[in-house]
Amino acid sequence: MSRLGTLGARLHRGEIGYDFISKRKIWYSVSILITITAFVGLVVRGLNMSIDFQGGAVFTTPKTSVSVSSAEHSAEEASGKDAVVQKLGTGGLRIQVSGIDTGKSDQIKDKLATDLKVSSDAVNADLVGPSWGETIANKAWTGLGIFMVLVVIYLAIAFEWRMAVAALVALIHDITITVGVYALVGFEVSPGTVIGLLTILGYSLYDTVVVFDGLRESSKDILKQNRFTYSEIANRSINGTLVRSINTTVVALLPVAGLLFIGGGLLGAGMLNDISLSLFVGLAAGAYSSIFIATPLVTDLKEREQPLRNLRKRVLAKRAAAAAKGESLGSPVPEPDEPQDMEPEDAAPAVVGQRVQPTSRNRGRGRPSGKRR
């Protein structure tokens, strides 16, 4: 077994573990700081919406020796707006300029034809209206709202309302961070970005549900024992799925990182950035929120219940009594299927000394054998 597999097995058995829950205020502070930074980025820089949302013109030129930067400078000088230039496989250029009308489009076309030393008729100009992008965006927001409502209803039925609230907070956390990163880095927001954003919500929810499912199984008989608090059981659930979450996140991030850093960054396929950045940031934020936000938030909500508050008092009192006697209560977290850990406090104590065997096991002792003479 690999070292990572051995680590995962030891985490699952509770032999080792990191105390995520007791440090939840640190994780909350980190998330609040990141979220505030994302909001500041949105307010100060705003989102760089693509031509599909703003409207504008797309110019396609024939094969030319003019560089991308020179064409970009010419388009921006003629339009007074930012231009996005891409090299085509034919040797020509594809130039996007947002927020211009027909008259401005003709001026830019003539300017490009002059700078590229080609005929004006050879430059193709397509005007794009903002209505298509607005329609896609409105439908995406509608779909997102319906998705959120269905997620809350499903989790409230399948698990409980506290887990539904925690999962919803984690999803909003992931969306806010992803959108904020787009504002800070200035990447273009296209319909591909919207698709990527909706895709990561499913992954974030999947990771959260895996942790919640383990937590539900581990805590189903928690009130029948007096050794562990709900926080400790929740901590065990996180540690039990930690290696799995890391493995799935790394495997999911590798191809997305290839699209973002190699395809979009190194090879210059800028259109890949529209969707790959949202996937990359969203996958990482989803894994983070399921471990550091969703489960600690569930713990905070659950430990407000009176039965679990009473359990916590009993556990702490029992430990204090054991510490006063110099005794140890054993391993920190029980296996879910350990029946002795779930016995009630008033159960009959185990017998110390010679073990009394059942009558059936003594039957036949002293006899030579079971063979008939």
Side-chain angles (χ1 to χ4, degrees):
M1 185 180 292
S2 65
R3 296 183 62 182
L4 188 60
T6 304
L7 175 64
R10 295 187 66 192
L11 285 169
H12 184 73
R13 291 194 298 267
E15 296 174 1
I16 58 173
Y18 186 77
D19 193 359
F20 293 95
I21 301 298
S22 67
K23 296 181 174 60
R24 55 186 179 274
K25 290 184 179 178
I26 297 176
W27 319 135
Y28 292 162
S29 301
V30 171
S31 291
I32 291 172
L33 182 62
I34 296 174
T35 304
I36 291 174
T37 305
F39 270 115
V40 171
L42 281 171
V43 173
V44 175
R45 295 176 58 89
L47 290 174
N48 179 21
M49 307 301 288
S50 71
I51 192 173
D52 300 303
F53 295 101
Q54 298 186 64
V58 179
F59 304 94
T60 306
T61 73
K63 185 177 181 179
T64 178
S65 59
V66 175
S67 66
V68 170
S69 59
S70 298
E72 183 178 348
H73 176 73
S74 298
E76 290 179 349
E77 187 180 24
S79 64
K81 297 179 179 295
D82 292 336
V84 178
V85 182
Q86 297 167 331
K87 191 80 174 180
L88 301 177
T90 59
L93 299 174
R94 185 175 186 270
I95 305 168
Q96 296 181 32
V97 182
S98 302
I100 59 173
D101 53 17
T102 305
K104 200 69 176 178
S105 170
D106 292 338
Q107 295 179 17
I108 298 171
K109 181 179 178 181
D110 294 338
K111 172 70 173 172
L112 289 174
T114 302
D115 292 345
L116 271 61
K117 297 181 176 58
V118 296
S119 170
S120 179
D121 294 335
V123 179
N124 184 43
D126 294 322
L127 287 174
V128 180
S131 58
W132 185 83
E134 289 179 359
T135 302
I136 294 295
N138 291 333
K139 290 183 178 179
W141 284 114
T142 303
L144 179 62
I146 295 173
F147 172 79
M148 291 287 194
V149 172
L150 292 178
V151 164
V152 171
I153 294 174
Y154 171 75
L155 290 179
I157 295 174
F159 295 93
E160 58 173 301
W161 69 266
R162 296 167 188 80
M163 292 184 176
V165 170
L168 182 63
V169 171
L171 286 177
I172 295 173
H173 168 272
D174 299 341
I175 294 174
T176 304
I177 290 177
T178 306
V179 174
V181 168
Y182 267 87
L184 291 172
V185 302
F187 274 26
E188 193 173 65
V189 177
S190 68
T193 306
V194 177
I195 295 171
L197 197 63
L198 296 177
T199 303
I200 62 171
L201 296 181
Y203 176 83
S204 174
L205 186 64
Y206 167 79
D207 215 32
T208 303
V209 167
V210 168
V211 178
F212 282 177
D213 191 55
L215 177 58
R216 181 180 59 176
E217 288 297 319
S218 302
S219 62
K220 60 183 178 182
D221 294 325
I222 189 172
L223 294 178
K224 297 180 180 179
Q225 52 85 46
N226 290 319
R227 292 185 61 191
F228 306 101
T229 66
Y230 189 86
S231 298
E232 292 164 343
I233 297 294
N235 207 53
R236 163 64 184 273
S237 295
I238 296 177
N239 281 283
T241 57
L242 183 62
V243 173
R244 176 181 177 179
S245 297
I246 292 174
N247 285 336
T248 54
T249 302
V250 170
V251 169
L253 282 177
L254 284 176
V256 178
L259 290 176
L260 179 62
F261 297 110
I262 299 178
L266 189 62
L267 301 180
M271 295 182 71
L272 293 176
N273 293 335
D274 299 347
I275 188 170
S276 58
L277 180 63
S278 62
L279 291 174
F280 187 83
V281 177
L283 289 172
Y288 168 82
S289 65
S290 64
I291 295 173
F292 296 96
I293 301 299
T295 309
L297 190 55
V298 169
T299 303
D300 278 335
L301 294 174
K302 288 288 290 183
E303 292 202 326
R304 293 176 184 272
E305 298 177 3
Q306 192 61 43
L308 292 177
R309 292 170 65 180
N310 293 337
L311 171 65
R312 185 177 187 82
K313 291 179 181 177
R314 293 198 302 271
V315 171
L316 296 180
K318 185 176 180 179
R319 290 178 183 172
K325 296 178 182 177
E327 298 176 350
S328 174
L329 292 182
S331 60
V333 182
E335 290 285 353
D337 55 350
E338 284 181 339
Q340 65 274 19
D341 291 341
M342 294 300 180
E343 288 179 359
E345 181 71 7
D346 54 353
V351 176
V352 178
Q354 185 178 2
R355 186 176 181 180
V356 178
Q357 297 294 339
T359 306
S360 57
R361 296 191 180 184
N362 293 326
R363 187 177 300 165
R365 285 189 176 180
R367 297 178 183 175
S369 71
K371 293 182 180 180
R372 290 185 179 181
R373 297 181 178 177

